[in-house]
Each structure stands twice: as structure tokens, then as C-alpha cells.
Amino acid sequence: MLLQTLPRFVLALGIGLLIASQASAISSSPIESALQRLEAAMAAHPDDPDLEWAYATTLSRSGQADRAATRLERYAERWPNRRDDVDFTL
């Protein structure tokens, strides 16, 4: 199962890191800018599980474990076929 989910996880992490690195050039808080861009992308594409995953992992990496856990729970509820992908140890 891990090998099947690894590419999606790497993609989601890459999206978060790419957004954060691009945001650092224009923002004093690259993580906050990345989160804002992910929120805008999720508003435009609300049914994209990879964006939800990227948002949750970016929240986790920014030290917002409570918000990340809430988003991961939402992810597991909305996409039950991907529930095994969720690691609740943040």
C-alpha cells in the first residue's frame, strides 16, 4: 500500500514545498503564503484530494498540528478509499 501512495504523497509534499519556495520571494511568511495559495486552489478545485492532503501536510510542517489533524480527519471522511493514506501522528 505504501508504494501505491508514495507518488501521491511526494506530489502533495512537492506542491506544498514549491508553493512555499515561490512565496518566500514575495512574503515574509512563506508558509502562510503557501497556505493561502493552497486555500485558493482548494476553493477552485474543492474535490481534489491531493490539494487537501498538501494543505494538511503544510499545516503540519508549519507547527499547526491541531488544524492539520482536523484537515486529515476531513480528508479521511471525504475520500474513504484513501483512508489508509492518513497518518494521524503529526
Side-chain angles (χ1 to χ4, degrees):
M1 186 63 159
L2 176 61
L3 292 177
Q4 293 173 345
T5 62
L6 183 60
R8 186 186 50 74
F9 173 74
V10 171
L11 175 64
L13 179 58
I15 290 169
L17 293 175
L18 177 62
I19 291 171
S21 68
Q22 291 176 346
S24 66
I26 58 173
S27 172
S28 61
S29 175
I31 293 292
E32 283 304 314
S33 183
L35 290 170
Q36 289 172 358
R37 290 176 185 222
L38 282 166
E39 288 167 1
M42 290 180 350
H45 306 283
D47 295 324
D48 187 331
D50 293 328
L51 288 174
E52 185 75 38
W53 183 267
Y55 187 70
T57 56
T58 304
L59 283 170
S60 177
R61 294 188 191 303
S62 73
Q64 301 179 55
D66 290 342
R67 288 182 64 200
T70 299
R71 297 311 290 215
L72 288 174
E73 288 172 4
R74 171 186 155 100
Y75 175 90
E77 288 172 5
R78 286 196 68 195
W79 296 283
N81 60 327
R82 293 184 169 199
R83 187 175 184 87
D84 292 339
D85 301 346
V86 177
D87 178 7
F88 286 99
T89 57
L90 299 173

